[in-house]
Amino acid sequence: MRLLLVEDEVGLAETIRDGLRIEGFTTDVMFNGVDGLWAATESPNGAYDAIVLDIMLPGLSGYEVCRQLRQRDVWTPVLMLTAKDGDYDEADGLDLGADDYLTKPFSFVVLVARLRALIRRGAPQRPVVLSAGDLRLDPARRRVTRGDDEIPVTPREFALLEFMMRHAGDVVTKTAIIENVWDAAFDGDPNIIEVYVGYIRKKIDHPYGRSAIRTVRGAGYRMDPDGG
């Protein structure tokens, strides 16, 4: 099994590499994000079974390396290994395409077990691009386009639009939106949904003279399968 380890702490990287060798892994080590991205995409050593990626790297951060890998359709499983242990740090890594996340200090036994689990699962399939007419949403690249135009959206807008496009043609209630885009424990003003629907309409519909998201009075909203 062949691994790529991208870690800028030389001593730690060598310790991990030596331990992985004992466990039967062949490991290439890169000490910055630029070299790590090159190794993962262009190295003559061939494809890797998994990538262990630090976040705080010189050159390119682990976040950016992971984002560019997925953008280039490299779906090798990625385990982020980092001292950044906040919930939002972990969420950012997973949202950008990482498959697992382990914080330092860590158990080497757990690291090996998680790597073996990732390799057993194999490279994930690329998520299907959602479309409604010429409106397209790419869950892997976190991109929204209308025709040839890329449309910038916030994470919440993206999540709401993705939910509605996955249910194109169906009426989705405010309750369903809250439970799937916010969460079941949300106790704020449900009118926030109308606000975010308005934000999305201003980006995907109004500039193009379209009406993809329809209000169904007393029921909720419906995404036109044809994009409006």
Side-chain angles (χ1 to χ4, degrees):
M1 292 175 286
R2 190 173 195 86
L3 302 178
L4 173 64
L5 170 63
V6 190
E7 167 62 64
D8 64 325
E9 296 181 42
V10 177
L12 177 60
E14 292 177 345
T15 298
I16 294 173
R17 180 189 59 196
D18 292 345
L20 290 173
R21 183 171 59 243
I22 294 172
E23 295 293 330
F25 295 93
T26 298
T27 307
D28 293 338
V29 180
M30 298 294 164
F31 299 105
N32 63 69
V34 175
D35 290 343
L37 180 62
W38 174 85
T41 57
E42 301 180 34
S43 171
N45 289 337
Y48 294 98
D49 295 295
I51 299 171
V52 180
L53 183 63
D54 190 18
I55 289 179
M56 302 298 289
L57 293 168
L60 290 174
S61 72
Y63 290 140
E64 182 62 17
V65 171
C66 189
R67 187 190 69 79
Q68 290 198 35
L69 287 176
R70 298 321 189 211
Q71 190 173 48
R72 300 182 190 189
D73 288 335
V74 176
W75 299 101
T76 307
V78 171
L79 185 151
M80 284 193 161
L81 183 65
T82 178
K84 295 172 72 68
D85 61 355
D87 290 342
Y88 288 103
D89 298 315
E90 181 173 355
D92 286 343
L94 296 174
D95 283 345
L96 287 170
D99 301 278
D100 204 352
Y101 194 102
L102 190 61
T103 57
K104 303 173 184 176
F106 60 91
S107 162
F108 188 78
V109 172
V110 172
L111 171 63
V112 171
R114 290 193 176 189
L115 285 171
R116 293 193 189 281
L118 283 178
I119 293 169
R120 281 198 302 271
R121 292 200 296 268
Q125 291 185 340
R126 178 181 171 183
V128 175
V129 175
L130 306 177
S131 62
D134 65 347
L135 178 66
R136 295 169 64 83
L137 181 146
D138 188 334
R141 294 193 172 107
R142 312 294 290 182
R143 294 177 68 234
V144 176
T145 57
R146 170 75 90 171
D148 295 329
D149 297 340
E150 183 166 353
I151 301 172
V153 294
T154 67
R156 185 74 73 184
E157 290 166 356
F158 187 94
L160 175 54
L161 183 58
E162 180 179 7
F163 178 71
M164 297 190 72
M165 290 184 71
R166 288 190 184 279
H167 296 84
D170 298 333
V171 175
V172 293
T173 66
K174 285 186 176 181
T175 299
I177 292 173
I178 287 175
E179 290 178 349
N180 288 274
V181 179
W182 276 261
D183 61 64
F186 176 77
D187 61 357
D189 187 346
N191 288 328
I192 191 65
I193 296 172
E194 296 176 16
V195 174
Y196 273 88
V197 168
Y199 291 158
I200 294 173
R201 282 171 168 158
K202 289 178 181 178
K203 294 182 177 182
I204 69 168
D205 282 344
H206 296 176
Y208 304 94
R210 310 289 281 278
S211 182
I213 301 176
R214 311 285 179 86
T215 299
V216 181
R217 292 189 178 278
Y221 299 95
R222 177 180 178 273
M223 168 66 68
D224 186 342
D226 297 322

